[in-house]
Amino acid sequence: MRSHKGNEKGMTLVEILAALVILGIVFIGFMTIFPQMTNFNEKTESKLTAMNEARVHLDNFKNSSYSIDYFTSENGYVEKNGSWIRTEESGIGEVEYKIEKQPALPAGDAEGELSLHGIIISIQKDSKVISETFGYIEVGK
C-alpha cells in the first residue's frame, strides 16, 4: 500500500470556502465606499458650481460702473447695518449682494474719481450659505 499523504496538490473544500468568505468581506468593504464617493462628488460639484456663479456675479459688478444713486430701493436695495443689500433668486439658490456704504478707499477731490466699496456676494440654498465671495467695486459720486 502506498501513502498519499505527502502528495497533496489541490485545495480542500474548506480552504476554498474560507477564501470565498474573505473575498466577500473585502468586496463588501469596497462596495460601501462607492456610494459615499458619489455623494461626496455631488456635494463638491454643487459647491464648485455655486463658487463659479458667485465669481461670475462679482465679475459682472466689477465690469459695470455705478454711482451712489444706483443703490436705492427702486433697484431692489435695502439699507441695513451700513450696507446696501439686495437679494435675488438664481438657478442654484438665493443670491445676496451686500455693498458696504462706507468706501474702503474714498474718492479724491478730482472730478470723476471713483471710490472703492467692498462687496460680499453669498449664495444660499435652504437658508444655508453654500458659497461666498468678496471683492471691491468702483462707485462714482
Side-chain angles (χ1 to χ4, degrees), residues 68 79-84 99-104 115 117-118:
I68 296 283
E79 248 183 83
K80 187 176 181 184
N81 297 333
S83 298
W84 296 297
I99 297 103
E100 296 173 357
K101 287 180 70 176
Q102 188 68 32
S115 58
H117 290 258

Side-chain angles (χ1 to χ4, degrees), residues 30-128:
F30 278 123
M31 292 308 292
T32 58
I33 292 173
F34 289 113
Q36 292 173 359
M37 286 176 32
T38 303
N39 188 21
F40 179 75
N41 287 340
E42 288 172 359
K43 285 181 181 178
T44 302
E45 182 181 354
S46 67
K47 192 136 183 112
L48 284 173
T49 303
M51 286 171 43
N52 288 333
E53 184 164 333
R55 286 186 187 135
V56 166
H57 287 286
L58 181 61
D59 284 341
N60 289 341
F61 261 91
K62 284 182 175 182
N63 294 329
S64 301
S65 58
Y66 298 97
S67 69
I68 296 283
D69 300 334
Y70 178 78
F71 304 108
T72 63
S73 59
E74 295 165 356
N75 291 323
Y77 288 92
V78 176
E79 248 183 83
K80 187 176 181 184
N81 297 333
S83 298
W84 296 297
I85 299 173
R86 184 181 93 197
T87 58
E88 65 182 36
E89 284 299 318
S90 170
I92 294 177
E94 188 176 78
V95 180
E96 180 183 81
Y97 306 96
K98 184 178 181 182
I99 297 103
E100 296 173 357
K101 287 180 70 176
Q102 188 68 32
L105 182 63
D109 295 333
E111 181 72 26
E113 285 193 11
L114 303 172
S115 58
L116 287 179
H117 290 258
I119 180 172
I120 300 171
I121 299 175
S122 61
I123 298 179
Q124 302 173 3
K125 188 173 187 178
D126 301 328
S127 299
K128 186 177 180 183

Side-chain angles (χ1 to χ4, degrees), residues 5-22:
K5 289 186 180 186
N7 195 13
E8 294 181 14
K9 292 185 179 181
M11 295 177 64
T12 65
L13 183 60
V14 173
E15 291 171 330
I16 292 173
L17 288 175
L20 286 174
V21 167
I22 292 170

